Amino acid sequence: MLTDTFNRTIEYLRLSVTDRCDLRCTYCLPEGFKDFEEPEHWLSFEEIERVVGAFTRLGVKHVRLTGGEPLLRARLPELAQRLKGLPGLHELSLSTNATQLDKHAAALMQAGVTRINVSLDSLQAERIAQIAGRDVLPKILAGLHAGKKVGFDPIKINMVVMPGINEDEIDAMVAFCITHGFTLRMIETMPMGETGRNAQHLDLQPVKARLREQFGLVEGFFSGSGPARYLQTPDGKFNLGFITPISQHFCETCNRVRLSVDGTLYLCLGQDEKVELRPLLRSGASDQDLADIIQHAMTIKPERHEFREQPAKLVRFMSTTGG
Ligand code: SAM
């Protein structure tokens, strides 16, 4: 079992399979950004399988494929299938912008991915083009449709809510998710890199209070002990999550670490503590060496992020870490 110095059990690994993305969301990657990891630094499927195997032997039960945009990594379903076969792995999920999900949904489902999170900040094509830098709403909707058709359940929609940008679409997004049976999660913008810092965050606490009242929502429970706190309709059919790193953080229940495409193990989304695993993997380290370094890494996992106290601290973009 992996336990850190604050007595938190780590059983969730977010695995970035690429730092590249086909979108340039204003709060994530700067326009024209090209400073991506060199392909020779990307962990190969064999290396990923080895590291994830080390984690599952240490008690990690859930792996999420993320990025960048994970569907840009060639043969992702093949990697998913290999990981799904690892003993001890209970759940394999995916975070995607869904621009290419219609092509890959069936193969991913077949490979053993069961749950997906899809980023969708607006239901207006022009706005998506402004926020994401490309006119991709129809592609995203096609991806969502394909995901639903092949049976991903739940499908969670992640909406980064920004004042003056898309806050007027909160109700429309709630209605959209109720209609389609999706879970909605609203996210406060995090000051990650200059893009995250330049984007405004909207305090979601008043939004939560208003929606609770308006839709008669009650406290909800939702599996996956993540940072989202949920409300739900009394019949339990619609779940509404709030990821509020700025107005109310939940670091005390943090159960995760992140592995970037170049084999860097980040211990906290909002701090710099990290351990490089690639040199070890490429210099003949044994499985025991890997297990030892992963266990050691737990001793430097920070207690919490400081997005609120030190918003200028983190120069890394979300897509570099594996959001
Ligand atoms: N491309 C995939 C996707 O769209 O889900 C996975 C990676 S993306 C970086 C993961 C999530 O991080 C997305 O929902 C995105 O909106 C969110 N994100 C990126 N930068 C952020 C920031 N500064 N604050 C809050 N959320 C951010």
Side-chain angles (χ1 to χ4, degrees):
M1 198 157 95
L2 285 175
T3 310
D4 74 357
T5 38
F6 304 97
N7 242 341
R8 297 173 295 198
T9 302
I10 308 306
E11 43 189 20
Y12 180 18
L13 176 68
R14 294 179 68 102
L15 174 71
S16 174
V17 293
T18 180
D19 59 344
R20 291 167 196 241
C21 191
D22 52 336
L23 304 182
R24 292 289 179 274
C25 297
T26 46
Y27 50 79
C28 189
L29 270 185
E31 213 185 320
F33 180 83
K34 291 212 170 58
D35 191 15
F36 295 109
E37 228 10 282
E38 298 297 330
E40 59 264 33
H41 291 165
W42 300 353
L43 295 194
S44 65
F45 284 6
E46 288 69 28
E47 289 169 330
I48 291 175
E49 198 176 347
R50 241 192 114 197
V51 179
V52 176
F55 272 102
T56 52
R57 284 191 295 279
L58 289 165
V60 162
K61 297 183 175 61
H62 177 192
V63 171
R64 174 173 295 277
L65 304 168
T66 183
E69 172 46 42
L71 295 183
L72 295 188
R73 179 88 187 234
R75 301 183 289 118
L76 188 70
E78 182 191 321
L79 175 66
Q81 193 161 25
R82 289 170 75 154
L83 298 181
K84 197 58 202 259
L86 289 170
L89 188 71
H90 294 185
E91 192 177 313
L92 186 61
S93 57
L94 170 79
S95 283
T96 177
N97 62 31
T99 58
Q100 305 199 26
L101 186 60
D102 59 340
K103 282 188 275 176
H104 300 294
L108 287 163
M109 171 56 85
Q110 212 165 16
V113 175
T114 48
R115 297 153 51 126
I116 57 171
N117 290 0
V118 171
S119 304
L120 182 62
D121 296 332
S122 170
L123 294 165
Q124 299 176 22
E126 233 170 76
R127 256 193 203 167
I128 284 285
Q130 271 164 12
I131 297 171
R134 280 185 61 205
D135 183 10
V136 284
L137 183 63
K139 281 173 172 250
I140 297 172
L141 296 179
L144 274 170
H145 179 71
K148 196 172 161 181
K149 199 164 154 205
V150 303
F152 288 118
D153 186 29
I155 294 178
K156 296 182 188 168
I157 302 292
N158 284 339
M159 176 190 191
V160 176
V161 189
M162 291 162 286
I165 308 277
N166 61 351
E167 63 178 316
D168 60 341
E169 279 195 73
I170 290 174
D171 290 30
M173 198 65 92
V174 169
F176 173 79
C177 288
I178 290 176
T179 303
H180 293 280
F182 302 144
T183 292
L184 175 61
R185 296 160 8 128
M186 288 184 240
I187 304 175
E188 289 174 351
T189 323
M190 299 171 225
M192 298 190 65
E194 55 180 285
T195 42
R197 261 194 300 288
N198 291 340
Q200 303 271 317
H201 88 274
L202 184 82
D203 182 343
L204 290 176
Q205 303 303 334
V207 174
K208 189 174 176 183
R210 176 178 72 76
L211 292 175
R212 183 199 289 265
E213 183 80 16
Q214 192 172 326
F215 291 89
L217 302 175
V218 296
E219 285 301 321
F221 169 80
F222 209 73
S223 67
S225 55
R229 290 299 173 269
Y230 285 91
L231 296 177
Q232 61 180 34
T233 44
D235 63 6
K237 285 192 178 150
F238 172 62
N239 290 285
L240 176 60
F242 296 86
I243 300 179
T244 55
I246 313 298
S247 63
Q248 188 181 18
H249 72 78
F250 291 100
C251 300
E252 63 278 7
T253 56
C254 183
N255 64 348
R256 63 201 56 200
V257 290
R258 292 172 161 85
L259 186 68
S260 69
V261 67
D262 67 340
T264 307
L265 181 63
Y266 287 103
L267 283 316
C268 172
L269 184 62
Q271 301 281 10
D272 285 321
E273 277 78 356
K274 63 184 175 188
V275 172
E276 306 285 353
L277 299 183
R278 192 179 77 245
L280 224 81
L281 286 165
R282 296 192 178 170
S283 63
S286 68
D287 285 349
Q288 187 57 51
D289 296 334
L290 258 182
D292 289 346
I293 197 156
I294 290 169
Q295 287 206 293
H296 169 74
M298 296 306 124
T299 65
I300 58 164
K301 182 169 167 60
E303 185 173 14
R304 48 167 300 203
H305 65 69
E306 295 163 298
F307 286 143
R308 200 177 171 133
E309 299 82 352
Q310 297 200 62
K313 187 168 179 180
L314 209 69
V315 294
R316 245 171 29 235
F317 300 116
M318 179 75 101
S319 66
T320 311
T321 318

